[in-house]
Amino acid sequence: MWKLGLLFVVLLVAVEHGDSLRVKRQYFAPPEECVISHAEIEELVQLTKLAEGRKASRKRPSSSRNPTDQPDACSRRLGEFKTTIEDVLARYSTMQKASISVSQYELMKAQQEQELTGLLRRVDNLEREVEQRFRAEIERLRNSLQKLQRRLNDNLRLLEHERAAGRRAQEALCVGHIQGGNVEEAVKLYRALNGSYEMGRLTNDTYQADGDMVAPLVNFFEALREEAQAFGTIGGYEELHAQVERNNQLDRDRSRTLFHSLVGLEYYYSDPADINRVQTLRVKLIDKLKSFSQKTR
């Protein structure tokens, strides 16, 4: 009987010892192998070169890895790098479109800088983690990404200069159409500027201390009546009123023109602050018109 008990104890110790060895083997198991091939890095390097010139190419280098291969940790991270680079190039292509607004452009520009900076940081982290024999390849990728960043920045600076010159030309043409009474063409140009031409600045550029510009400007504001909130036409009315009054050009006819144009304008606004601005300016014009009536008595 005692022999059976002893055998049971021996078996129990053996099982526990085996479990302990398995735990130790798992604990000291070598980390997942991380292999970086020249072909994988070359694919990313070639991808960074697609921003050469003014526009990013639609072509993409094909992957040299067999789709059936199970990617290791490094390959997965390189795949993430590739996705980020493709996103950067796609955004860069969008930024070159004339149809995007200034605010959209600035947002995408900030996203570009953030993504490229973050990508370089991730590449640096990978370079510190991989074996020595792979670091030259990672450094090659890093250098290529830095060149991409500089190239995009240079291209965007050139693009911004061109866009600014184009906007100035459109603004001048818009002002010319307003001054010439061609409201329809002026409105088309103004809409095409996507809100980059602030209404107060347009008013100042058009008015130029010429009292006869009150009527053309009011006609322009009225043509944008249904888009008053989007374009902030009340800012134009306020600027025009202030300048005409400052130059002692706010006579009865101009006061009446401004007043009648403001009637009902608040219904095209949803912002209470803007509605209040419309009503406040209208009250000022009512007072001005009353002052003319009192003078004639």
Side-chain angles (χ1 to χ4, degrees):
M1 186 69 181
W2 65 270
K3 290 181 179 180
L4 288 174
L6 180 61
L7 179 60
F8 176 75
V9 171
V10 170
L11 289 172
L12 183 62
V13 170
V15 169
E16 290 179 349
H17 182 64
D19 289 342
S20 176
L21 286 176
R22 275 196 298 273
V23 170
K24 288 181 179 179
R25 278 198 297 270
Q26 291 171 0
Y27 185 81
F28 292 107
E32 183 180 3
E33 185 180 9
C34 189
V35 178
I36 294 175
S37 69
H38 175 82
E40 286 178 307
I41 297 298
E42 182 62 23
E43 181 181 2
L44 295 180
V45 168
Q46 291 303 316
L47 191 60
T48 65
K49 294 180 179 179
L50 293 180
E52 294 285 358
R54 292 304 316 282
K55 292 188 177 181
S57 169
R58 294 179 180 272
K59 294 174 63 180
R60 293 288 184 268
S62 58
S63 175
S64 59
R65 198 175 346 113
N66 190 328
T68 61
D69 292 345
Q70 289 296 323
D72 59 27
C74 283
S75 293
R76 285 194 295 271
R77 291 172 74 174
L78 293 177
E80 293 170 1
F81 294 169
K82 179 182 177 182
T83 299
T84 301
I85 295 170
E86 288 175 334
D87 289 344
V88 165
L89 293 176
R91 189 181 296 110
Y92 169 63
S93 181
T94 301
M95 292 171 73
Q96 297 178 79
K97 295 179 180 178
S99 59
I100 66 170
S101 66
V102 173
S103 59
Q104 288 173 322
Y105 177 87
E106 291 300 329
L107 176 61
M108 286 189 284
K109 183 179 178 180
Q111 290 172 336
Q112 287 288 72
E113 187 61 33
Q114 183 178 5
E115 283 210 356
L116 282 169
T117 302
L119 179 57
L120 283 167
R121 189 182 305 115
R122 286 153 60 197
V123 170
D124 286 342
N125 291 339
L126 180 60
E127 185 176 4
R128 285 192 290 269
E129 294 170 14
V130 298
E131 296 178 28
Q132 183 67 39
R133 61 193 173 115
F134 298 130
R135 289 180 182 171
E137 290 291 347
I138 298 297
E139 185 63 22
R140 189 162 70 94
L141 173 60
R142 187 181 192 282
N143 291 338
S144 184
L145 286 171
Q146 287 180 322
K147 288 179 182 178
L148 172 64
Q149 188 175 37
R150 288 194 296 269
R151 192 180 307 121
L152 290 182
N153 286 340
D154 290 343
N155 288 352
L156 288 178
R157 275 193 291 271
L158 179 60
L159 178 63
E160 287 164 12
H161 287 316
E162 291 180 355
R163 284 170 64 92
R167 280 197 304 271
R168 286 193 295 271
Q170 280 187 290
E171 289 171 1
L173 195 55
C174 182
V175 166
H177 282 311
I178 296 172
Q179 292 172 335
N182 192 352
V183 174
E184 186 177 346
E185 288 301 316
V187 167
K188 287 180 182 178
L189 281 168
Y190 190 80
R191 286 175 177 146
L193 286 165
N194 287 313
S196 63
Y197 198 7
E198 193 269 327
M199 194 61 73
R201 187 161 61 87
L202 173 141
T203 301
N204 185 61
D205 293 344
T206 306
Y207 169 60
Q208 295 181 356
D210 183 355
D212 291 337
M213 287 297 105
V214 171
L217 275 165
V218 167
N219 290 337
F220 174 74
F221 298 152
E222 289 181 344
L224 292 170
R225 197 173 182 87
E226 293 188 359
E227 299 156 280
Q229 183 73 74
F231 292 129
T233 56
I234 183 57
Y237 281 106
E238 289 172 333
E239 180 68 20
L240 181 59
H241 172 264
Q243 292 208 34
V244 173
E245 188 172 45
R246 188 182 306 121
N247 292 324
N248 296 316
Q249 296 172 328
L250 192 59
D251 58 19
R252 185 194 299 269
D253 289 339
R254 289 169 186 148
S255 297
R256 188 182 293 113
T257 297
L258 284 166
F259 170 74
H260 285 301
S261 183
L262 288 169
V263 173
L265 181 62
E266 64 265 38
Y267 297 113
Y268 295 92
Y269 279 95
S270 56
D271 187 337
D274 289 328
I275 293 172
N276 184 62
R277 289 167 67 189
V278 173
Q279 294 171 341
T280 299
L281 182 55
R282 195 164 57 220
V283 168
K284 288 181 180 179
L285 288 164
I286 289 172
D287 291 340
K288 186 70 174 179
L289 288 168
K290 284 180 179 178
S291 70
F292 289 125
S293 299
Q294 291 169 355
K295 288 178 182 178
T296 57
R297 289 177 184 174

